[in-house]
Amino acid sequence: MFNFGMIGAGIVMGIAAIGSAIGLGIAGQGAIGAWKRCYVNNKPAPFILTVFAGAPLTQTLYGFLTMRTLANSSKDPAFLLGLGLASGLAMAFSAVAQGQAGAASADALGETGEGFAKYIMVVGLCETVALFAMVFTMMMCNQR
């Protein structure tokens, strides 16, 4: 028998991972560009830029945790499909936004060598969207 709920579980993982991949690519480009500029100007290239480049990877983890919750839920399969799709999209867009913020942060930190705490706060705000999506989805699955 066809189970739309299991499709929802797979969709949340897949869409979140796609968003992470896009976000990683964007942030990675920013970090690489900042390092290149440091090398051209004979400045030390800060390794800490890898934090910005790798930040969007966490949405894949949230997608996995949400997938497990959806796969173990006894809620209506159509509801789980919709929940998986909406949650996965929220996580994906969060990862893309985080990649964009990470790229700008890497550029700014590479240029000035200052402001890491401020930049990581913005990157963290983008992350919060994915966390909310995961937690709210888990709450909906465990609600009686």
Side-chain angles (χ1 to χ4, degrees):
M1 183 165 163
F2 203 68
N3 186 340
F4 285 104
M6 293 306 284
I7 293 172
I11 281 176
V12 71
M13 176 66 207
I15 293 176
I18 290 168
S20 284
I22 294 168
L24 288 163
I26 294 167
Q29 290 173 15
I32 290 167
W35 284 323
K36 180 196 77 164
R37 218 172 28 261
C38 288
Y39 294 136
V40 166
N41 293 317
N42 291 319
K43 289 174 42 181
F47 183 75
I48 195 83
L49 299 185
T50 56
V51 171
F52 300 127
L57 185 59
T58 55
Q59 280 78 348
T60 299
L61 175 63
Y62 303 148
F64 172 76
L65 294 172
T66 306
M67 175 189 72
R68 302 265 311 171
T69 300
L70 291 172
N72 292 323
S73 178
S74 59
K75 294 279 188 185
D76 178 72
F79 172 74
L80 295 175
L81 173 62
L83 199 55
L85 181 60
S87 186
L89 286 171
M91 291 176 195
F93 281 108
S94 168
V96 171
Q98 194 172 48
Q100 293 168 331
S105 298
D107 178 58
L109 185 66
E111 184 74 24
T112 66
E114 297 179 3
F116 177 78
K118 292 178 176 108
Y119 306 144
I120 201 69
M121 281 191 284
V122 174
V123 170
L125 287 171
C126 297
E127 176 110 5
T128 305
V129 174
L131 283 167
F132 283 161
M134 178 184 72
V135 169
F136 295 156
T137 300
M138 290 177 166
M139 288 172 55
M140 292 300 294
C141 286
N142 293 323
Q143 199 174 43
R144 301 208 191 282

